[in-house]
Amino acid sequence: MSNNTDSISTQKVLQCVRFPPRGFSLGIFGKDNNPWTYSVPTIQSQILLIYVITQLFHIPLKRLGFPKITSEIFAGLILGSTLLGRYRSYQESLFPIASQGILGALSTFGYLLFLFLSGVKMDTSLTRKIGRRALVIGILNHLVPLVAGMITVSALSRSFFQEGGTTVSPSVEVITIAKTSFPVISFLLKDLGLLNSELGRLALSSALISDLFGLTITVISVLVFISATGTLARAVKDAILFIIFIIVVIFVFRPLMIWVAKKTPEGRPVKDLYILLIVLAVLLSGVFSDWAEQTVLVGPFIFGLAVPEGPPLGSTLVNKLDPFASGFLLPIFVSLMSLRTNLSAINPSSSFTFANIILICVASISKILACLLPMLYCKMPLNDAAALSLIMSTRGVVDLATYSFLRDTKIINQETFAFMVIATAFTAVFVQIMVRWLYDPSRKYAGYQRRNLINSNNKLPILLCIHNQDNTAAILRLLEKSNPTRDFPIVANVLHLIELRGRASSVFISHQIQTKAISDVSYSENVILAFQGYERNNYGAVTIQAFTAISPCNLMHEDICTLALDVLASIIILPFHRKWAVDGSVEVEDHSLRTLNCSVLERAPCSVGILVDRGQLRRSNSVRSSQNAYCVAMLFLGGNDDQEALTFAKRMAISGTISLTVIRLISKKEMSSNVDQVIDLDIVGDWKHSRSGWENVQYIEHQVNETTETALLVRSLVDDYDLIITGRRNNTHCPLTAGLEEWSEIPELGVIGDMLASKDLKTRASVLVIQQQQIAM
């Protein structure tokens, strides 16, 4: 059997193929009862079979930490010449040669779009802000394995490689192994949930440098190969054409696309005409790069780099094209590449296989060490450095596509191709499992000092989260009613949370450090200016530090908790996921915001408050609100959360500009000997003693016999106050609320908070639910 066979079967078979192939079957009305003699039913069956087998592997393997690409490779190996492709009847019916060409062209088009979108998602502006560590890692991660691999090729006998392929094959193999793909790293970090972690940001920055450096080397290598096999004039002509293409993309197409982005009103979609013209330009860029004797895939990738990342244009292109390209066609592309893999072509006893193993091991180990040693020199912990080294050495779909291209052009043979496919699958599995074991993002909470309101001093550091601009007014009013003074100042760290769209890498901006932050993130401008204006009007009492985090919704809690650690915040204030209209009805329910709030409550390193804003904290027309004072009620039932809420309410009442009423609910069933009750009595007693002489503070006790009385009392308060503060009291058993948990719709607010935030209540009273820090130290 020949090692260079391209057929799905194990033997060379002459077949007659009809062109153009017949498309649609006539079904029961046709004379031919075999639907697989028609191209469309055959391709549909192939796609269905690929997806079914992929899912059958992926469902159990994902529980073991295997990435999805391994299931796609396994599906191709089963359907290909390694297993089922050995049977001629199977090949002729389900995977005839003609249908393979059609499906291959369709999936390759999907891969072309995937590379274009990968360029769109790359934030090339990061290259201007990349630190020294990322720059060193990015260059060494490509350069060291390249040099080590070339030395290995020279050291080994040339006959080893000539036994299985051309003399060019080992050098090209080294260049391929040394390459680091930004899209592959981004996919891995997304699967691991590390996109916005410190390690993830460093890996993405390093991968961006390494990928661009590798692209430059690849283009130069192609030109050198052309000059060596052809003429120097031909290589110079191709180089000039490629340079002209890059200049046109940067200085013609990019300004046009920036103009399109500026012409699109904020919040409005980009016109479909512009999207169609861009897709047409992507296809033309592939034709032009092929004309310049580069691969047809280089042009779309470079064109994607010129597209302005993020909204509106970048995010629109990703939203429209990514589900079709990455979600539908790319898995087919991976399976088809492994379908063409014949593992029986590998001869374990041949010197060629031995040389391949040595070459891959040397290049991979040197790639890991090129990242590991510099990070250890920079005092990075060993586990983190090892995890980063493994991430930078992973392989994926881009590498498989490169191997397939080299195989199609006869630069590498079938044995090398099969060997590289198996190495890619093994590396993808090994890296993902090892990184999960080595790197734990929650480790940053270890040894963290307990932070909450009770243990804070006069200077209060808080973290205010803004999910959209509608939250700004409510958060500002709460900050104002917290009554910051020079004696009791507040350090307000404002974090504007923006969903990651049209980008591959998350972004975190400190507007105190980056002077161009507002121009870089224009959609944060109004939020920042509003809080900076409040700081100017309260100079000395309030210090504002503004931040912007652009990350996926499911990872935003990491940005919040990390910033809370860095600024030593005592409490995090989050907006509620419901937005009320002027008439009191619910206007919007943001389920992603609700998920975010729950994640922060579970992981926060300090206390957390959820602000339920009704009517933007406006005062009601009740009797208590008829005075000029802003009326606040604090419901105290007992427990750590209520003690924390009482501390916040006390701080609000210090300046005397608000009217505070502390309402303590007491059950006749409570036992005074209970340790928690004794602590509550001490806390309340100390508070009553400290507030003596405060005319703006009242203390009321209510005895409650049963839970129905609790519910009626709570509901009766909503029209008497502008703001009601209460503790979450999660998983706290209390006779006052026994049985009410079963009717709770919003458990993150607790039983009392859930009643006060009910849709049935038509009130202007806002609610602040506080949970004391939960992480055990």
Side-chain angles (χ1 to χ4, degrees):
M1 185 186 67
S2 173
N3 284 335
N4 294 320
T5 180
D6 288 344
S7 174
I8 192 173
S9 63
T10 57
Q11 297 180 351
K12 288 186 177 180
V13 179
L14 294 177
Q15 293 187 14
C16 295
V17 180
R18 174 173 177 165
F19 282 100
R22 292 180 294 180
F24 295 95
S25 168
L26 297 177
I28 60 175
F29 301 102
K31 296 181 180 179
D32 193 350
N33 293 326
N34 185 7
W36 288 290
T37 58
Y38 299 86
S39 58
V40 173
T42 302
I43 292 174
Q44 289 174 335
S45 301
Q46 291 170 354
I47 293 175
L48 179 63
L49 200 57
I50 288 172
Y51 273 98
V52 168
I53 296 178
T54 299
Q55 290 303 316
L56 288 177
F57 274 105
H58 184 57
I59 290 173
L61 290 180
K62 68 179 179 180
R63 301 181 182 276
L64 302 176
F66 284 42
K68 191 175 182 181
I69 189 173
T70 57
S71 301
E72 295 163 357
I73 292 175
F74 291 161
L77 292 176
I78 290 175
L79 296 173
S81 56
T82 301
L83 290 177
L84 296 179
R86 295 175 178 272
Y87 303 99
R88 183 175 179 181
S89 59
Y90 159 83
Q91 174 193 351
E92 292 177 350
S93 59
L94 273 180
F95 281 91
I97 294 177
S99 67
Q100 288 186 52
I102 298 173
L103 189 59
L106 180 63
S107 62
T108 304
F109 174 71
Y111 180 68
L112 183 146
L113 289 179
F114 166 76
L115 281 185
F116 164 69
L117 294 175
S118 298
V120 173
K121 295 176 185 177
M122 280 190 185
D123 189 358
T124 53
S125 64
L126 289 177
T127 56
R128 301 193 300 268
K129 309 169 187 175
I130 278 179
R132 186 172 57 182
R133 287 196 305 176
L135 183 64
V136 170
I137 293 172
I139 294 177
L140 290 181
N141 187 255
H142 190 98
L143 199 58
V144 171
L146 184 64
V147 173
M150 290 301 181
I151 294 174
T152 304
V153 169
S154 300
L156 293 173
S157 172
R158 180 70 68 175
S159 61
F160 283 179
F161 296 99
Q162 289 178 341
E163 177 186 333
T166 66
T167 56
V168 182
S169 174
S171 300
V172 175
E173 191 175 341
V174 170
I175 294 175
T176 305
I177 296 173
K179 190 176 184 301
T180 299
S181 172
F182 180 89
V184 172
I185 303 294
S186 177
F187 260 80
L188 173 64
L189 293 173
K190 186 177 180 181
D191 288 342
L192 295 172
L194 300 178
L195 268 180
N196 56 348
S197 66
E198 184 179 356
L199 188 74
R201 288 192 172 98
L202 179 58
L204 282 176
S205 300
S206 304
L208 177 62
I209 293 295
S210 185
D211 203 353
L212 295 178
F213 183 69
L215 178 64
T216 305
I217 290 181
T218 301
V219 171
I220 294 174
S221 301
V222 171
L223 295 175
V224 170
F225 178 76
I226 292 173
S227 63
T229 56
T231 61
L232 181 61
R234 177 183 167 194
V236 171
K237 183 200 74 171
D238 291 338
I240 292 174
L241 285 175
F242 195 71
I243 292 172
I244 291 174
F245 168 71
I246 294 176
I247 292 174
V248 170
V249 168
I250 294 175
F251 295 103
V252 177
F253 285 101
R254 181 170 173 81
L256 286 175
M257 288 186 286
I258 292 176
W259 176 82
V260 169
K262 290 182 177 179
K263 291 289 290 183
T264 303
E266 186 175 354
R268 302 284 295 177
V270 180
K271 292 182 179 179
D272 290 340
L273 176 62
Y274 297 141
I275 301 298
L276 292 174
L277 290 176
I278 289 174
V279 172
L280 178 62
V282 170
L283 300 178
L284 292 176
S285 68
V287 174
F288 190 88
S289 64
D290 184 65
W291 184 33
E293 298 195 66
Q294 299 293 328
T295 69
V296 71
L297 303 171
V298 172
F301 177 72
I302 294 177
F303 191 85
L305 292 174
V307 177
E309 71 283 345
L313 187 57
S315 58
T316 301
L317 286 168
V318 171
N319 291 339
K320 286 181 176 292
L321 300 178
D322 201 45
F324 177 68
S326 301
F328 176 65
L329 293 180
L330 195 63
I332 301 174
F333 180 74
V334 174
S335 295
L336 282 181
M337 284 188 292
S338 59
L339 183 142
R340 301 172 62 199
T341 303
N342 187 3
L343 295 184
S344 60
I346 300 176
N347 184 3
S349 61
S350 70
S351 58
F352 180 71
T353 302
F354 178 71
N356 261 322
I357 293 175
I358 293 178
L359 183 59
I360 291 176
C361 289
V362 169
S364 299
I365 292 174
S366 61
K367 194 176 182 70
I368 292 175
L369 293 178
C371 179
L372 179 66
L373 296 180
M375 288 301 95
L376 292 178
Y377 178 78
C378 295
K379 309 299 182 183
M380 179 180 282
L382 178 60
N383 280 10
D384 293 1
L388 179 63
S389 304
L390 289 171
I391 290 172
M392 293 298 295
S393 63
T394 191
R395 298 190 181 98
V397 60
V398 177
D399 305 280
L400 286 176
T402 305
Y403 305 147
S404 180
F405 169 77
L406 295 176
R407 176 187 179 277
D408 292 341
T409 53
K410 307 297 181 183
I411 295 177
I412 63 174
N413 60 8
Q414 172 70 8
E415 183 175 354
T416 303
F417 176 70
F419 202 85
M420 298 304 290
V421 169
I422 296 303
T424 299
F426 174 79
T427 303
V429 174
F430 178 76
V431 168
Q432 185 146 327
I433 292 177
M434 288 301 297
V435 171
R436 288 185 189 275
W437 180 69
L438 287 170
Y439 185 72
D440 181 13
S442 63
R443 196 173 58 221
K444 59 191 173 188
Y445 298 116
Y448 181 69
Q449 182 183 359
R450 187 178 182 89
R451 305 290 300 184
N452 51 43
L453 295 172
I454 294 178
N455 297 323
S456 63
N457 52 26
N458 290 349
K459 187 177 182 179
L460 178 64
I462 62 176
L463 176 57
L464 305 172
C465 298
I466 307 293
H467 198 261
N468 55 63
Q469 294 187 7
D470 294 335
N471 306 140
T472 305
I475 296 290
L476 267 175
R477 286 184 174 87
L478 179 64
L479 181 61
E480 178 185 0
K481 299 308 176 183
S482 299
N483 293 316
T485 62
R486 291 180 182 270
D487 294 330
F488 296 91
I490 292 179
V491 180
N493 302 278
V494 181
L495 177 60
H496 188 199
L497 299 164
I498 301 173
E499 182 182 359
L500 181 69
R501 293 184 299 165
R503 296 174 184 259
S505 55
S506 59
V507 179
F508 189 87
I509 298 173
S510 172
H511 295 279
Q512 290 69 241
I513 299 175
Q514 295 169 253
T515 55
K516 295 183 180 180
I518 292 180
S519 60
D520 292 340
V521 193
S522 58
Y523 22 79
S524 289
E525 182 176 1
N526 293 335
V527 174
I528 297 168
L529 292 178
F531 281 93
Q532 288 178 344
Y534 180 77
E535 180 184 24
R536 286 192 298 269
N537 296 332
N538 296 270
Y539 181 77
V542 176
T543 302
I544 299 294
Q545 296 181 348
F547 304 88
T548 298
I550 306 176
S551 58
C553 288
N554 62 328
L555 297 178
M556 282 182 180
H557 63 274
E558 288 290 340
D559 286 322
I560 296 173
C561 296
T562 301
L563 183 58
L565 280 174
D566 294 340
V567 301
L568 302 177
S570 294
I571 187 171
I572 301 170
I573 302 296
L574 301 168
F576 191 49
H577 68 273
R578 283 180 185 165
K579 179 185 176 183
W580 273 267
V582 178
D583 60 356
S585 61
V586 175
E587 183 178 341
V588 176
E589 285 206 47
D590 190 341
H591 295 288
S592 62
L593 178 55
R594 181 180 183 183
T595 303
L596 171 65
N597 290 346
C598 294
S599 299
V600 174
L601 286 170
E602 292 174 0
R603 298 172 176 84
C606 61
S607 297
V608 179
I610 298 180
L611 178 61
V612 181
D613 175 42
R614 291 178 182 263
Q616 297 182 344
L617 288 177
R618 286 188 295 177
R619 297 167 58 221
S620 64
N621 296 321
S622 65
V623 176
R624 293 183 183 271
S625 301
S626 61
Q627 304 172 359
N628 292 328
Y630 186 85
C631 294
V632 178
M634 191 277 138
L635 289 176
F636 190 93
L637 280 72
N640 293 335
D641 293 346
D642 279 355
Q643 294 169 13
E644 191 80 352
L646 181 62
T647 305
F648 188 79
K650 176 184 175 180
R651 187 179 182 96
M652 295 180 69
I654 286 177
S655 65
T657 58
I658 71 165
S659 174
L660 173 63
T661 303
V662 177
I663 304 171
R664 186 180 180 208
L665 304 186
I666 303 174
S667 173
K668 293 181 178 180
K669 300 178 182 179
E670 290 179 349
M671 300 298 294
S672 59
S673 60
N674 186 291
V675 175
D676 292 334
Q677 297 299 324
V678 173
I679 295 175
D680 290 337
L681 288 172
D682 290 341
I683 293 289
V684 173
D686 292 341
W687 177 83
K688 289 167 66 177
H689 176 72
S690 64
R691 62 96 187 177
S692 59
W694 293 5
E695 297 181 355
N696 63 316
V697 177
Q698 296 182 19
Y699 176 76
I700 302 173
E701 289 187 356
H702 285 282
Q703 284 194 348
V704 179
N705 295 322
E706 53 186 14
T707 54
T708 54
E709 293 185 19
T710 302
L712 292 174
L713 178 62
V714 170
R715 287 177 172 267
S716 67
L717 299 174
V718 294
D719 291 327
D720 292 339
Y721 300 95
D722 302 303
L723 175 65
I724 301 175
I725 305 174
T726 184
R728 184 189 178 200
R729 308 180 75 253
N730 186 42
N731 296 326
T732 301
H733 176 73
C734 176
L736 293 168
T737 57
L740 294 178
E741 295 89 348
E742 301 175 2
W743 301 93
S744 179
E745 296 179 355
I746 314 171
E748 61 267 27
L749 295 183
V751 176
I752 303 298
D754 177 76
M755 286 192 288
L756 294 171
S758 174
K759 297 179 182 180
D760 301 332
L761 289 180
K762 303 297 182 181
T763 178
R764 294 292 184 183
S766 296
V767 182
L768 179 63
V769 179
I770 295 179
Q771 171 187 278
Q772 196 179 60
Q773 188 253 20
Q774 294 292 305
I775 293 180
M777 300 300 171

